[in-house]
Amino acid sequence: MPVSPRIALFGGSFDPVHKGHLEVARRACAHFGLDRVIFMPAATPPHKLGKALAPGGARLAMLRCATAGDARWEVSDAELRRAGTSFTVDTLRDMARQESAGGGAELFMILGSDNLPGLPGWREAEEVLSIAQPIVAWREGTPDGHLAALEGRLPAHLVERLSLGFMRLPPFPGSATELRGKIAAGRLSGAELPEGVLEVIQREGLYGAISTEARP
Ligand code: ATP
């Protein structure tokens, strides 16, 4: 009997994509034997309504550079094309439909542990956790006991599913917020970002960087 491919959705703002994201994807591939990771920048993340993000095209361009080194990684513009608020349940339903038409796949969803407290409030959270096996990367600064705190807020079998997907590894530090601050202050070296990402930031003049296009 053929084995179904293991495909993970990795959604987020990716504003910009950073080494923390890539490390999480690398570890997820190693721990869960993933065949594909689909990095998908959100059009408008539900928890960041009203916050300006870099244009979708620029976030896609940064992701394409950052993921070029691993054949299992790909970038999708599905949420940007759908526009509006990017609800994970809609994305996963689309993926499940597509994959079942193509012969079936085992679906996963990668997220950082900072998302756990808000997870029960996600649109159709139970459906999200049922369609895709979550892979939770422990994020530095997240307090212990966050999984236990979900007991009673989600059905026990879904808390168990989250616990099965928890990567009990040393956390990998870093956030996009911190990087945007450094870029605006002109304190960021290209080595702190994945390959090619600083060039896109400079070309597009993102996050307060002086656009190389605007230079004489
Ligand atoms: P910001 O600082 O702008 O909120 P971010 O990097 O925290 O940016 P996203 O780009 O939305 O946020 O991250 C996408 C996903 O990757 C989220 O699920 C987030 O929790 C996870 N993630 C990001 N950085 C890390 C990290 N260093 N360790 C574990 N998970 C991470």
Side-chain angles (χ1 to χ4, degrees):
M1 196 157 135
V3 180
S4 303
R6 298 185 143 204
I7 304 176
L9 168 68
F10 193 3
S13 312
F14 300 111
D15 192 26
V17 56
H18 53 69
K19 289 188 170 177
H21 296 128
L22 302 190
E23 189 57 27
V24 166
R26 217 170 272 128
R27 290 174 175 186
C29 284
H31 277 251
F32 294 90
L34 302 176
D35 297 294
R36 282 164 64 200
V37 175
I38 303 177
F39 291 73
M40 196 179 297
T44 310
H47 61 293
K48 291 188 181 170
L49 295 176
K51 279 199 192 165
L53 297 175
R59 287 183 289 130
L60 277 177
M62 291 188 279
L63 274 166
R64 288 192 178 118
C65 294
T67 56
D70 193 314
R72 294 166 299 186
W73 296 350
E74 57 194 81
V75 181
S76 165
D77 63 355
E79 289 190 353
L80 293 170
R81 275 190 284 109
R82 203 165 68 225
T85 309
S86 306
F87 291 107
T88 303
V89 70
D90 298 331
T91 307
L92 286 174
R93 277 203 182 109
D94 287 347
M95 281 176 67
R97 247 192 311 270
Q98 254 170 32
E99 295 306 332
S100 90
E106 212 178 325
L107 294 183
F108 294 74
M109 167 186 69
I110 302 173
L111 67 162
S113 60
D114 53 311
N115 288 286
L116 289 179
L119 198 51
W122 284 21
R123 176 174 286 191
E124 297 186 61
E126 295 183 20
E127 181 72 358
V128 166
L129 296 171
S130 304
I131 300 176
Q133 165 64 50
I135 296 177
V136 185
W138 179 29
R139 193 147 187 198
E140 203 175 35
T142 313
D144 283 344
H146 44 335
L147 265 180
L150 289 175
E151 279 164 25
R153 297 182 66 212
L154 284 171
H157 73 281
L158 295 180
V159 177
E160 175 61 20
R161 213 157 139 79
L162 281 161
S163 163
L164 284 174
F166 203 84
M167 292 200 286
R168 292 178 202 283
L169 297 165
F172 192 88
S175 79
T177 305
E178 185 189 316
L179 290 170
R180 289 193 301 272
K182 280 192 172 182
I183 296 162
R187 284 192 292 109
L188 192 88
S189 78
E192 290 180 76
L193 287 166
E195 185 82 28
V197 171
L198 187 60
E199 287 71 13
V200 178
I201 292 173
Q202 289 174 333
R203 189 181 70 222
E204 304 285 331
L206 304 174
Y207 318 121
I210 298 171
S211 166
T212 43
E213 304 273 279
R215 287 182 199 161

